[in-house]
Amino acid sequence: MGRLGPLGPSVTRVTAAYAGRVAVLGIETSCDETAAAVVDGDFHVVSSVVESSIDQHRAFGGVVPELAGRAHVATIGPVVRRALEDAGLDAHDPDIEGIAVTSGPGLIGSLLVGLSAAKAFALAWSVPFVGVNHLEGHLFAPLLERVDLEWPLMTLLVSGGHSLIVLQAGPGHHTVLGETIDDAAGEAYDKVARWLGLGYPGGPEIDRLAQEGSPGGLALPVSMVGDDYDLSFSGLKTAVVRATQKHTDVPLADVAASFQSAVAEQLLRKLRRALEHHEVRGVALAGGVAANSALRAGVAELASDFGIECHLPTMAMCTDNAAMIAAAGLYRLRAVGPSPMDLAANPNWQLADVR
Ligand code: KG4
Ligand code: ZN
């Protein structure tokens, strides 16, 4: 993987040898990443291109939907062409099995760019297309790095927009055990970082600072200790604000370490509970917050305690990409069939509603 010039400074690409089997083109534009990827019929990533507009949003401390939508319009064509060319496919008439595109959840203006492009390509190339739930896409990410993955799997899916504990009986068969009742874990990281005067996105900054601090430096509550799988981060965020207003002498690194420890503790407690009550072969992390060092270490420890496989995807697979959408789409195309041409974008599509 490397960073390249022509598409802009933020583009990342992955290219592998194409096994020459039927392939699916994936398209992802639900938030600030414009992404396209080719995955072959055996769930191998053949090419993956991700162009992010995050630099345009930094000054605002969060993704600005209008800017994200405009960036997708400018970038979708070159990104798709690059993904096809990297896969050794004819960008004008690729020999593919179908097109998979994120049709929800996400920002409506952003989703519509990818969905419209996917429909246009499907018509032009006479191939089927399928709308994919973005969260189901994240659930397919571990499979792309471990094709011999064994089910059932317990997955903690934590990103800037979502926090869920999902039991996966097999690919495409999932039960949401619990989810956040307010902010997502990544959202809490971003909001706390903003309060502390750190940059956006806040997760990597807090994670880095936390390595130098003491988790006992600031007394914070561990929220949601109840007998369920639901999560909540809004109270913790408020607690950080209150505690730092009261104890102004606590070093920033200690604040970061204390917050990080409280987030990880809540997530890991709930995940442990899920593992105690469901027999699974493995545990997986997914979503942007899966990059978090405390969470990765904690999940690895849980896997070892329960004697099960641990799946910690690489960063490229944790954050938004189109390979995971292509993988979910490949499964959906084969198991369920294509979507109708009048499929609408659904900005609030719940994972529990995916059939
Ligand atoms: O999945 P993602 O790339 O985008 C979506 O939200 O869909 O996740 C981005 C989120 C941001 O909130 C960011 O602060 C968080 O993931 N994040 C982290 C870390 N790296 C990224 N949170 C905690 N620790 C990290 N190392
Ligand atoms: Zn995502």
Side-chain angles (χ1 to χ4, degrees), residues 16-349:
Y18 179 35
R21 307 180 69 103
V22 281
V24 166
L25 168 70
I27 295 178
E28 154 66 35
T29 62
S30 67
C31 193
D32 59 330
E33 276 93 12
T34 316
V38 173
V39 165
D40 77 12
D42 293 326
F43 292 97
H44 294 121
V45 182
V46 186
S47 68
S48 179
V49 179
V50 181
E51 167 85 19
S52 172
S53 62
I54 194 154
D55 289 341
Q56 296 182 42
H57 307 291
R58 267 187 233 284
F60 302 95
V63 175
V64 182
E66 175 68 19
L67 291 179
R70 283 169 189 257
H72 289 309
V73 172
T75 320
I76 186 77
V79 165
V80 168
R81 192 170 58 241
R82 184 70 63 84
L84 292 171
E85 285 172 359
D86 283 356
L89 293 166
D90 178 352
H92 296 288
D93 188 14
D95 184 13
I96 54 174
E97 188 174 335
I99 301 175
V101 59
T102 305
S103 56
L107 302 169
I108 183 69
S110 293
L111 289 168
L112 282 172
V113 178
L115 186 57
S116 309
K119 288 178 179 176
F121 288 131
L123 281 173
W125 300 331
S126 300
V127 294
F129 96 99
V130 65
V132 167
N133 180 286
H134 179 82
L135 301 174
E136 183 169 59
H138 274 296
L139 295 180
F140 272 81
L143 182 69
L144 288 169
E145 292 186 329
R146 276 285 296 274
V147 264
D148 60 342
L149 189 146
E150 291 185 345
W151 319 84
L153 199 62
M154 190 66 74
T155 304
L156 175 62
L157 169 46
V158 269
S159 72
H162 306 274
S163 302
L164 304 97
I165 296 176
V166 184
L167 174 63
Q168 289 180 267
H173 296 274
H174 33 71
T175 308
V176 177
L177 297 183
E179 59 190 309
T180 182
I181 57 165
D182 42 55
D183 291 352
E187 190 180 354
Y189 263 95
D190 295 338
K191 286 179 175 169
V192 166
R194 194 171 183 175
W195 166 252
L196 298 175
L198 303 170
Y200 170 82
E205 289 267 322
I206 291 185
D207 194 3
R208 191 184 48 75
L209 260 178
Q211 317 296 323
E212 300 153 18
S214 155
L218 193 71
L220 293 171
V222 172
S223 341
M224 301 294 285
V225 286
D227 273 353
D228 54 30
Y229 303 109
D230 284 338
L231 305 161
S232 164
F233 298 100
S234 165
L236 179 58
K237 176 197 65 196
T238 311
V240 171
V241 171
R242 293 233 172 92
T244 48
Q245 279 172 332
K246 198 166 161 199
H247 308 284
T248 49
D249 54 340
V250 177
L252 198 57
D254 286 5
V255 177
S258 306
F259 169 71
Q260 172 136 312
S261 150
V263 172
E265 175 134 7
Q266 182 190 156
L267 289 169
L268 294 168
R269 265 193 207 184
K270 295 288 169 121
L271 191 57
R272 174 177 289 277
R273 193 176 135 71
L275 292 171
E276 279 165 358
H277 290 84
H278 302 85
E279 205 167 311
V280 290
R281 308 285 290 268
V283 59
L285 258 181
V289 184
N292 187 261
S293 57
L295 218 45
R296 290 178 90 86
V299 169
E301 204 178 307
L302 273 182
S304 140
D305 286 356
F306 284 83
I308 54 178
E309 284 284 337
C310 181
H311 304 282
L312 302 175
T314 57
M315 264 320 288
M317 272 305 153
C318 291
T319 50
D320 288 351
N321 65 84
M324 66 187 199
I325 302 302
L330 176 64
Y331 166 79
R332 293 251 146 230
L333 273 175
R334 291 182 176 175
V336 186
S339 298
M341 260 303 152
D342 62 354
L343 178 76
N346 183 350
N348 302 313
W349 193 8

